[in-house]
Each structure stands twice: as structure tokens, then as C-alpha cells.
Amino acid sequence: MRLAVQAYDGPIAMLPVAQLYVRDVPDLSPPEGKDLLQVLWCPFDHPIMPRTLLFWRSAAAVTDILDTPPEPPAVQFDGYLPEPCVLEPEQITEYPDHLELSEELQEQLKQWSVPQAAEEDMDPDTYYDCVLSNAPGWKVGGWPAWNSTDPSPQPCSECGTGMQVLMTVATFEEGDDAGNSWSPHPHPGAGPYPGHRGYNATGVQIGSGYRQHLFVCPAKPEHPHIELMT
């Protein structure tokens, strides 16, 4: 038996999801004259995940700041209401998913003998994807993970340029390997705060535990972006 929830019919306030400054994320690549990205979303499926809006702004021009953002009268799922978090950016290097490699490299990967992969009970493809190529968690830039679908071209609807990952909203911060190879680098003063959940610090859940990739046009970041769940 499932609890029936009465449908809400009225305006819904968009929720803040992320606020990123170029000074903290140098590879953000904003439009000319902008140095701040604000990401908002509607806490309802459109049709299978929240619909996002991107606002590229100049931080110096943001003077009328709300002390308390408006809250929506309803959300579809608790996992669409992010917990406030302070970012501590760490730059890493990623590589494409094994499905995006050339046929020659894919064949080499299949013949790859990695003792660590056997210890993790993973085949070489899975070990490469989980441990060596694609970091889990929320991130800016990098490569998309193709866990639930095959790679597909993502052309810009305005100019046809191949779109790139701007940001990934992830359900989990930690990977699938026992060694937690992608765990953040510790630094002085860092540590869990009361109630902190390292595996899901934001409280966000995409689908049944997936990622929501936001793709933008590298030629014109202000062109319409697209979203993809993987």
C-alpha cells in the first residue's frame, strides 16, 4: 500500500542547487564578463529528473542578496531538496569512459592484467571506469559516466557544436571500489560535521541512485543546456 499525496496546483519556487565562482573553479569557462554560475532546479520530475536553470552572472553586480531563499510549498521527493554544503574544490584528472575509447584501446583494455582488479572482483573495463577514469560525486567538467546508457552525441541545439559536461549532480560521493580511490584529499581543518554523510552529503538522490549531467555548449555557454541521467 502506498501513501497517496494530493497534487499541488500552483507556482513552485526554484531551489538553489549550486553557486560556483570562477576564482574557486578556474576551468568553469563562463561567458565573457561573467564570473559566477548559479544553478537552480524545480523539485519535480520533468519528466524523470528535476529541470535545471543556469544563471551566468557578474558577482560584482549581485547586490540585492536574499538572506533566506524562497522555499517551495511542495517537493516531489525529499531527495530533490539539497542539504546546504560548503564547497572545498579539489582539481583532479579524468579520462573517458571505456565505451568512448577507440576500438584499439578497448581491445588493449580487455587484455589488460591488473592484480588490483582481481582483488576488487572487477573485470578490466569495470576497474578502469570505477577506479581510474571517472570520479564519482558532484563535480564540474570532466567526462560523463555511461553506467545506464551507451554514449551518444550531444550537439548544441543552437549551433550544432558538440556539448561538454558543465556539472554533474550525483547521488553518491564515493565510488564502488573497496579502496575508495576517489576519496577527497584530506587537509588541515577538514572533517565531518555533525550529521555529515560522506556518501551522500547533499541528501540529493537522482532516480534510483544515478547522476544528472548538465551539458553546455563550449562555444557559447549561454546557449540552451541539456540534461542527461546516467
Side-chain angles (χ1 to χ4, degrees):
M1 180 178 294
R2 300 180 63 184
L3 178 65
V5 179
Q6 183 177 358
Y8 177 80
D9 183 15
I12 296 289
M14 303 288 284
L15 288 175
V17 176
Q19 178 167 275
L20 306 173
Y21 292 88
V22 172
R23 64 173 183 261
D24 298 323
V25 189
D27 294 333
L28 199 55
S29 301
E32 185 176 354
K34 309 298 182 182
D35 61 357
L36 170 64
L37 170 64
Q38 295 175 325
V39 182
L40 283 71
W41 73 17
C42 172
F44 283 81
D45 283 340
H46 293 269
I48 61 171
M49 55 188 164
R51 177 177 296 164
T52 56
L53 292 179
L54 307 182
F55 294 92
W56 297 98
R57 310 180 70 178
S58 168
V62 181
T63 55
D64 187 13
I65 300 176
L66 295 176
D67 293 331
T68 304
E71 296 184 1
V75 297
Q76 186 169 356
F77 302 109
D78 290 342
Y80 290 170
L81 184 63
E83 292 286 342
C85 294
V86 176
L87 298 180
E88 297 175 353
E90 179 180 351
Q91 192 168 35
I92 60 172
T93 299
E94 284 194 330
Y95 299 95
D97 186 286
H98 82 276
L99 294 173
E100 294 196 75
L101 299 177
S102 66
E103 292 184 3
E104 180 182 356
L105 286 177
Q106 288 189 42
E107 188 59 35
Q108 291 182 25
L109 189 58
K110 291 178 182 178
Q111 306 303 322
W112 197 25
S113 177
V114 185
Q116 296 93 327
E119 293 174 5
E120 294 279 359
D121 194 25
M122 296 179 178
D123 58 57
D125 288 349
T126 303
Y127 184 81
Y128 168 80
D129 288 338
C130 292
V131 180
L132 301 178
S133 68
N134 199 284
W138 290 53
K139 57 191 177 184
V140 173
W143 294 86
W146 300 105
N147 301 90
S148 58
T149 183
D150 289 338
S152 59
Q154 305 298 328
C156 174
S157 61
E158 294 285 333
C159 65
T161 301
M163 303 184 86
Q164 298 177 354
V165 175
L166 167 70
M167 177 178 170
T168 298
V169 176
T171 301
F172 302 112
E173 288 296 320
E174 298 177 356
D176 296 327
D177 61 308
N180 291 325
S181 58
W182 292 104
S183 294
H185 181 70
H187 59 84
Y193 51 82
H196 174 72
R197 299 169 298 177
Y199 67 95
N200 180 233
T202 63
V204 166
Q205 179 173 331
I206 303 298
S208 300
Y210 297 106
R211 301 174 175 94
Q212 182 169 342
H213 297 298
L214 309 184
F215 288 80
V216 295
C217 175
K220 293 285 185 178
E222 62 271 28
H223 282 175
H225 72 289
I226 60 175
E227 305 162 341
L228 189 67
M229 182 191 295
T230 68

